């Protein structure tokens, strides 16, 4: 799909650079990605779409699994670059990335889809965060954390994030 093509383009742009790249996903689309020599691939099923929030215990366990994986794989000098963390397809990912950012991990949310445009997705996010005891979804999706940055494709999305009170220096066009 579209995100797979964007990831491939980003990998191509970073090929032969002095950087180690780790591509992490739920395994969907893996056959369509050609890794450059400086990249490797790991899968984590918990990153896949999660259509149902489930119980608080189930959701908390998924968040813990995602946190444990990333804490084991990256350090605080690395960059965790995600696509559409807050789109409303996996609330465990949204919350885990927020928690990692709070612990000073560098997060880039390549945001080009927003749950505010999809009522069912927004309801899912709100319901899932409520299960985790969070009543203000924007505090998780658009956090006031300096090392949580947004990458956007156009000025419309940039202005949208600015309207959500994300400081301009944290929104990269």
């Amino acid at each position: 799909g579209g995100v797979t093509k964007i990831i491939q383009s980003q990998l191509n742009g970073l090929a032969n650079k002095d950087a180690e790249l780790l591509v992490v996903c739920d395994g969907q689309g893996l056959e369509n990605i050609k890794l450059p020599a400086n990249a490797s691939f790991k899968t984590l099923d918990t990153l896949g779409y999660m259509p149902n929030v489930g119980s608080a215990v189930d959701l908390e366990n998924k968040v813990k699994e995602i946190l444990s994986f990333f804490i084991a794989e990256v350090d605080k000098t690395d960059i965790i670059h995600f696509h559409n963390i807050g789109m409303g397809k996996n609330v465990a990912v949204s919350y885990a990335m927020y928690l990692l950012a709070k612990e000073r991990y560098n997060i880039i949310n390549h945001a080009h889809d927003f749950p505010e445009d999809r009522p069912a997705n927004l309801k899912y996010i709100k319901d899932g965060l409520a299960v985790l005891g969070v009543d203000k979804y924007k505090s998780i999706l658009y956090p006031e954390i300096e090392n949580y940055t947004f990458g956007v494709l156009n000025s419309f999305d940039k202005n949208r994030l600015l309207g959500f009170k994300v400081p301009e220096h944290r929104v990269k066009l």
Side-chain angles (χ1 to χ4, degrees), residues 41-53:
F41 198 93
K42 292 199 176 187
T43 59
L44 180 62
D45 292 341
T46 316
L47 298 178
Y49 288 169
M50 194 173 86
N52 300 307
V53 171

Side-chain angles (χ1 to χ4, degrees), residues 86-104:
M87 186 174 70
K89 295 293 187 173
N90 186 326
V91 70
V93 169
S94 303
Y95 195 61
M97 292 303 113
Y98 163 80
L99 293 174
L100 286 170
K102 279 183 63 172
E103 293 299 317
R104 314 244 353 111

Side-chain angles (χ1 to χ4, degrees), residues 53 88 91 115-116 119-138 141:
V53 171
V91 70
E116 291 83 3
N121 293 36
L122 185 57
K123 181 181 180 332
Y124 164 82
I125 286 283
K126 288 179 176 180
D127 290 349
L129 291 173
V131 165
L132 294 168
V134 176
D135 63 347
K136 295 185 174 150
Y137 80 95
K138 286 185 180 179
L141 300 188

Side-chain angles (χ1 to χ4, degrees), residues 66-87:
I66 294 166
L67 288 172
S68 295
F69 177 87
F70 280 96
I71 288 168
E73 294 295 332
V74 302
D75 65 40
K76 294 179 182 179
T77 62
D78 293 329
I79 297 169
I80 301 171
H81 181 158
F82 248 95
H83 284 261
N84 294 321
I85 294 170
M87 186 174 70

Side-chain angles (χ1 to χ4, degrees), residues 114-172:
F114 296 85
E116 291 83 3
D117 295 331
R118 302 173 185 207
N121 293 36
L122 185 57
K123 181 181 180 332
Y124 164 82
I125 286 283
K126 288 179 176 180
D127 290 349
L129 291 173
V131 165
L132 294 168
V134 176
D135 63 347
K136 295 185 174 150
Y137 80 95
K138 286 185 180 179
S139 68
I140 304 303
L141 300 188
Y142 314 107
E144 295 179 18
I145 302 172
E146 208 50 41
N147 48 295
Y148 191 111
T149 304
F150 291 87
V152 295
L153 301 175
N154 55 54
S155 58
F156 180 82
D157 290 343
K158 179 180 180 179
N159 289 330
R160 170 180 273 193
L161 288 167
L162 296 176
F164 292 150
K165 307 295 184 225
V166 177
E168 189 163 8
H169 72 277
R170 289 184 33 233
V171 181
K172 311 297 182 192

